[in-house]
Amino acid sequence: MASEVLSPENGFRQSLTMAVAAICLECGFESTENIVLETLTEMLQSYLTEVGNSTRAYYEHSGRTIPTDKDVIFALSEMGFRNKSLLQYSRRGKRINIGQIVKTVDTSNPPVLQVGKSKGFPTYVPENHKYPHFPDPHSYIRTTTGQKPETDYVILREQASAQKRDVERALTRFVARTGRSHPLLPDDKNAFPLIEAQPHLIPYLNALLPSEHETLKLFEATNDQNNEQKE
């Protein structure tokens, strides 16, 4: 067979497939189905992988990093292969040569995306210079992507009112869901929830306790008296 040009990704797999097809042809088969050929190729690949793993285990156990023929023979013997028949099989008369698999490497450079026109050098730079060219303009030209903050008083007041309304609505829904509430509309319980009033055990206690404003005034008055006494 003539040599084929294959990519490095599937070159090894294709070589195994061609070897299996050649063995089938030597055994007298004239044609085969793709699924059968793939199954035999997978079996051969698994067998060779197991032989390689066993060989590596043998030479690593011996403290070496390079395998020898003895390591391969021991690995084949462990898997039940008759080593004496290997030489006879390699000297068979109906051997079919499949040729050498040529692997190609893609040497083409990917196209470079260029945005805009590169800036040229000033006139005082000589033409036979060896300076690198300027990059694309998008790499050093500043582009504003954000929005300017709003400064109009009316719009700011509307935004603050809308934010306050959203916060109050969210807190109302949170209290209604975590506590007892009654829906204003029976069909939609989350539209207008009415928070149930919880009566206090001592309703007149709040009237007897001073408010926060009165407590603050009392604290300031006490501090003023203490300062006057120190003076």
Side-chain angles (χ1 to χ4, degrees):
M1 296 182 182
S3 60
E4 299 180 2
V5 179
L6 300 174
S7 60
E9 289 77 10
N10 59 356
F12 298 104
R13 181 74 178 189
Q14 290 292 337
S15 61
L16 288 178
T17 305
M18 295 174 64
V20 171
I23 294 174
C24 294
L25 186 60
E26 291 178 4
C27 295
F29 294 95
E30 296 181 356
S31 62
T32 180
E33 297 181 359
N34 292 332
I35 186 172
V36 177
L37 192 60
E38 287 295 329
T39 303
L40 294 176
T41 304
E42 187 66 27
M43 294 173 61
L44 178 59
Q45 183 176 353
S46 301
Y47 186 83
L48 294 177
T49 303
E50 188 64 26
V51 171
N53 293 333
S54 300
T55 304
R56 183 179 61 180
Y58 275 111
Y59 71 74
E60 286 183 352
H61 181 71
S62 302
R64 292 180 281 106
T65 58
I66 299 177
T68 60
D69 54 348
K70 299 295 182 181
D71 299 327
V72 179
I73 292 175
F74 289 152
L76 292 174
S77 300
E78 184 181 3
M79 299 183 65
F81 183 79
R82 297 180 181 179
N83 297 322
K84 295 182 179 180
S85 61
L86 183 60
L87 182 60
Q88 182 180 0
Y89 181 77
S90 62
R91 295 177 179 177
R92 64 189 184 277
K94 297 181 180 180
R95 183 176 180 178
I96 299 177
N97 296 324
I98 60 176
Q100 185 179 2
I101 304 298
V102 180
K103 296 185 295 183
T104 59
V105 181
D106 188 9
T107 57
S108 61
N109 297 325
V112 180
L113 178 62
Q114 185 175 1
V115 180
K117 295 182 179 180
S118 300
K119 183 179 179 181
F121 288 96
T123 56
Y124 54 82
V125 178
E127 296 181 357
N128 56 351
H129 64 83
K130 296 183 180 180
Y131 301 114
H133 296 283
F134 283 102
D136 292 342
H138 75 277
S139 61
Y140 58 87
I141 294 179
R142 180 175 177 272
T143 303
T144 305
T145 58
Q147 297 180 356
K148 295 182 179 180
E150 190 63 45
T151 57
D152 191 2
Y153 177 76
V154 178
I155 297 178
L156 292 177
R157 290 286 297 178
E158 291 178 354
Q159 292 179 356
S161 301
Q163 184 178 4
K164 182 179 179 181
R165 183 172 59 254
D166 294 340
V167 171
E168 292 177 354
R169 186 179 302 172
L171 290 176
T172 303
R173 291 181 179 178
F174 175 75
V175 175
R177 290 183 179 181
T178 55
R180 295 182 178 181
S181 61
H182 300 282
L184 182 62
L185 301 177
D187 298 336
D188 192 359
K189 297 182 179 181
N190 297 325
F192 299 97
L194 300 178
I195 301 174
E196 182 180 355
Q198 298 180 0
H200 202 274
L201 297 177
I202 307 176
Y204 55 86
L205 183 61
N206 293 330
L208 297 177
L209 294 176
S211 61
E212 183 179 358
H213 181 65
E214 294 178 354
T215 305
L216 183 60
K217 290 178 63 177
L218 181 61
F219 179 74
E220 292 178 354
T222 305
N223 289 337
D224 294 340
Q225 292 178 2
N226 294 333
N227 294 332
E228 291 177 358
Q229 291 177 1
K230 290 180 181 180
E231 292 177 357

